[in-house]
Amino acid sequence: MPTVGVFDSGVGGLSVLRALRAELPQVHFVYLADNANAPYGERSAQVVLDRALRLTEQLRAEHRIDALVVACNTATALAIDELRHTHPDLPFIGVEPALKPAAVLTRNGYIGVLATRGTVQSARFAQLLERVSATQVRPLHVRVQPCDGLADAIERMDAAAVHERAAFHLAQLRAGDPHRPPIDTLVLGCTHYPFARDVLQSLCGPDVLLVDTGEPVARRTRTLLNLETHAPGTEPGAFTLLSTGDRTSLEHAASRWLGVAVQVAAA
Ligand code: DGL
């Protein structure tokens, strides 16, 4: 069975790992959290690219991975082209803000996107926006909000800061023309944000649909690796967690969000 590497700046990619383990219980996953260098979203493009290249080399050399899931919107936006160029023999699966599904799901055409500054300012995100808008038969109204501090608050599991950052950024998203209809769909364009889903949902109200990318990425990984679907309810298999920084925070996050007690090793 294949070994699949997964990396993110920190705990956020666990939201993708959760979907991957449910979809592919037969696969051994090696999850690497680069929390010594988080948050990626507020770092320069060059730093994120250097880290992505370094982590990929490490996962290949030390864990002999057969494919790599870049479980981070920021690293995908800033590094996936270079990763594919540097490692042409390794299949990569990236994540991008779920604008395409949101465009299908929205009823009134008003969509909000929350993502990191690095993602929002990237050329790749601009292309995604353009592509999705161009393929719609009706006009789409997309508001984009860079969410400084939100991933970091989630990383630190600081509930008060998560609430404050989420409320601030949603208010920014709504600011402006008071006559504009409210959004009915909100894209969680950073893999950390599903872990603030309850807070975001309560701030937006029950009528707003929150969309993330965990499950589509897991399905794409299965297709790319040409693996069978397992019967629902199959127990997820073993996995390895590695961290470049504070190991206990990743252990707490895994126990809280994956429901497993697992020891994190130093990367
Ligand atoms: N979880 C990452 C993303 O999807 C990065 C968050 C951060 O480190 O800023 O963009």
Side-chain angles (χ1 to χ4, degrees):
M1 270 302 144
T3 297
V4 174
V6 183
F7 82 79
D8 179 38
S9 64
V11 301
L14 293 180
S15 65
V16 178
L17 181 64
R18 186 166 61 184
L20 285 165
R21 293 181 73 229
E23 181 81 18
L24 297 164
Q26 69 274 46
V27 168
H28 176 223
F29 293 100
V30 180
Y31 183 91
L32 174 45
D34 192 18
N35 47 0
N37 298 288
Y40 279 2
E42 289 152 55
R43 294 195 173 260
S44 73
Q46 190 60 50
V47 167
V48 176
L49 176 59
D50 289 347
R51 290 309 302 160
L53 286 165
R54 173 86 194 81
L55 298 178
T56 303
E57 274 153 28
Q58 187 174 349
L59 284 165
R60 290 201 84 168
E62 294 171 16
H63 299 276
R64 308 204 162 282
I65 54 170
D66 301 294
L68 180 55
V69 179
V70 181
C72 173
N73 292 264
T74 315
T76 300
L78 300 174
I80 201 152
D81 291 341
E82 187 60 31
L83 291 173
R84 289 191 169 122
H85 180 74
T86 312
H87 299 271
D89 56 329
L90 185 69
F92 285 93
I93 301 96
V95 301
E96 62 182 15
L99 252 186
K100 277 181 248 169
V104 175
L105 293 164
T106 179
R107 287 148 290 152
N108 69 0
Y110 286 78
I111 298 172
V113 179
L114 304 182
T116 68
R117 185 165 292 279
T119 297
V120 164
Q121 291 178 344
S122 67
R124 206 181 168 88
F125 181 70
Q127 286 155 12
L128 174 70
L129 251 181
E130 211 176 283
R131 227 175 29 246
V132 174
S133 305
T135 51
Q136 300 307 304
V137 279
R138 61 179 172 166
L140 268 193
H141 307 272
V142 183
R143 298 272 297 191
V144 180
Q145 175 62 24
C147 296
D148 291 355
L150 182 55
D152 183 50
I154 293 167
E155 190 70 32
R156 292 183 285 107
M157 292 197 191
D158 179 340
V162 169
H163 193 279
E164 186 279 325
R165 289 287 79 198
F168 173 81
H169 291 301
L170 286 173
Q172 293 292 110
L173 196 72
R174 287 191 205 108
D177 179 2
H179 303 297
R180 192 184 50 236
I183 60 160
D184 72 357
T185 308
L186 182 66
V187 175
L188 308 186
C190 165
T191 55
H192 280 67
Y193 302 167
F195 296 130
R197 177 178 275 273
D198 292 352
V199 175
L200 291 164
Q201 189 76 70
S202 75
L203 288 164
C204 289
D207 295 338
V208 176
L209 187 67
L210 270 43
V211 193
D212 71 70
T213 37
E215 285 170 19
V217 167
R219 285 196 295 273
R220 168 104 191 92
T221 306
R222 177 166 55 73
T223 312
L224 204 81
L225 295 177
N226 209 8
L227 292 169
E228 311 246 314
T229 316
H230 270 238
T234 310
E235 276 298 299
F239 64 103
T240 304
L241 290 185
L242 305 165
S243 155
T244 60
D246 175 18
R247 284 182 266 163
T248 48
S249 66
L250 188 59
E251 275 164 14
H252 286 146
S255 125
R256 180 163 170 194
W257 289 315
L258 301 183
V260 286
V262 56
Q263 281 216 327
V264 174

